[in-house]
Structure formats: C-alpha cells, structure tokens
C-alpha cells in the first residue's frame, strides 16, 4: 500500500534499470543495480560504473539537417555532467536541436544490457574499436572529473560511427 516503498523495492531488486538522467536512476545505483541510460544529455551524465550502458541524444544542425559529430558537441561543452537550461537554450539558439533515441535504439540497448548481464553478449573487434574511439574523443570532464566510466551501447556506436570525430 506504500507506493514509495514499491518504487524503492522495484529499483533495489530489478535486474537492471532503464532510464534517463532525470535522477531516479540514482536509487538503482545506490542498490548496486546496473543502469541502461537512454536519451542522455549531456554526455558526462552517463554510466558511472563499468557494467552500465548509455546511449546519447544526437545533435542536429537545424540549418543543414546534418547530425553534429560528438567531438564538436564536446567542444561546445556537452561533455559535462550537467547542462543548465541556459546552456541548452544557448545551444538551441545556435541552431542545434537534440534528437531523441528511436524506440528501436532503446529496444536494442535493453537487449544488449540483458545479454551482457546474462553473459551471452558476444562482442566483436569493431565494437571494441568504436568504444575506444569514443573514449579517445571524450575528455576527462565526466563524473568526478574521471575518464568516461561507462560503456556506450555497441549498436548505437555502430549506427553513429561517422559521428565519432
């Protein structure tokens, strides 16, 4: 009969939590439950543990319709672990729109997390190389000013490999 208890119980006992950076994911992290993050922005507000997976909102130039490489968005400050409404408004005023993950992106993220936790995930050399490429362009401005701690979804990186500059 206590909805707060039910919320906490679910997050404490789930196999993993699927969420965004809205803050509620912290409860699962506190209980040591893995988190799969979708629609994340900024990039630094990401998985804090090696077994967590994140996929980001992409950024699009409204004038050209082209997606903007991650390196360029990092140079604009999107690598921090917090963006204020003012900073987001400034980016939008510069002609940048943030693109939500598709339902298919999220479905594939969930499948990857589930397979990784079950020990059935099969990584391939391309996935490792793409992960390393993301870490290489990602500066040490993430959570606690440490190196990027999580893992970007493998299928997400494959789909967005051209943005890894």
């Amino acid at each position: 009969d206590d909805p707060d208890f039910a919320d906490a119980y679910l997050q404490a006992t789930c196999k993993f939590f699927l969420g965004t950076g809205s803050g509620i994911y912290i409860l699962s992290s506190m209980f040591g439950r893995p988190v799969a993050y979708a629609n994340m922005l900024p990039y630094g507000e990401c998985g804090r543990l090696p077994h967590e997976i994140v996929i980001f909102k992409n950024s699009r130039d409204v004038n050209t319709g082209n997606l903007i490489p991650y390196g360029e968005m990092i140079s604009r400050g999107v690598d921090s672990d917090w963006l204020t409404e003012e900073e987001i408004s400034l980016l939008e005023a510069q002609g940048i729109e943030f693109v939500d993950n598709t339902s298919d992106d999220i479905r594939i993220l969930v499948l990857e997390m589930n397979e990784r936790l079950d020990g059935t995930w099969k990584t391939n050399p391309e996935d490792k190389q793409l992960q390393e490429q993301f870490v290489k362009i990602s500066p040490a401005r993430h959570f606690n000013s440490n190196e990027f701690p999580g893992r970007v979804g493998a299928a997400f990186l494959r789909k967005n490999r051209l943005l890894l500059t």
Side-chain angles (χ1 to χ4, degrees), residues 46-116:
C46 59
R48 292 177 166 89
L49 301 170
H51 61 274
E52 297 184 335
I53 304 174
V54 60
I55 60 176
F56 304 106
K57 287 187 179 194
N58 280 324
S59 305
R60 181 182 357 251
D61 182 319
V62 296
N63 297 314
T64 66
N66 296 329
L67 293 177
I68 302 170
Y70 299 127
E72 181 177 336
M73 292 308 298
I74 287 168
S75 71
R76 292 174 182 244
V78 180
D79 63 315
S80 65
D81 65 350
W82 182 260
L83 284 177
T84 65
E85 286 183 36
E86 182 179 310
E87 289 169 319
I88 291 171
S89 293
L90 180 61
L91 291 165
E92 289 172 342
Q94 294 170 5
I96 296 172
E97 68 177 347
F98 301 104
V99 182
D100 287 340
N101 300 134
T102 66
S103 57
D104 200 47
D105 290 334
I106 296 168
R107 180 186 64 79
I108 292 169
L109 168 68
V110 167
L111 292 173
E112 179 180 345
M113 176 62 101
N114 196 55
E115 288 177 12
R116 284 184 182 278

Side-chain angles (χ1 to χ4, degrees), residues 114-146:
N114 196 55
E115 288 177 12
R116 284 184 182 278
L117 293 174
D118 287 349
T120 59
W121 175 258
K122 292 186 179 29
T123 193
N124 66 51
E126 178 190 29
D127 293 340
K128 185 175 190 240
Q129 183 251 345
L130 292 172
Q131 199 71 228
E132 289 171 355
Q133 198 172 342
F134 180 82
V135 170
K136 185 178 177 182
I137 64 168
S138 181
R141 282 191 54 204
H142 294 284
F143 185 69
N144 288 342
S145 296
N146 292 320

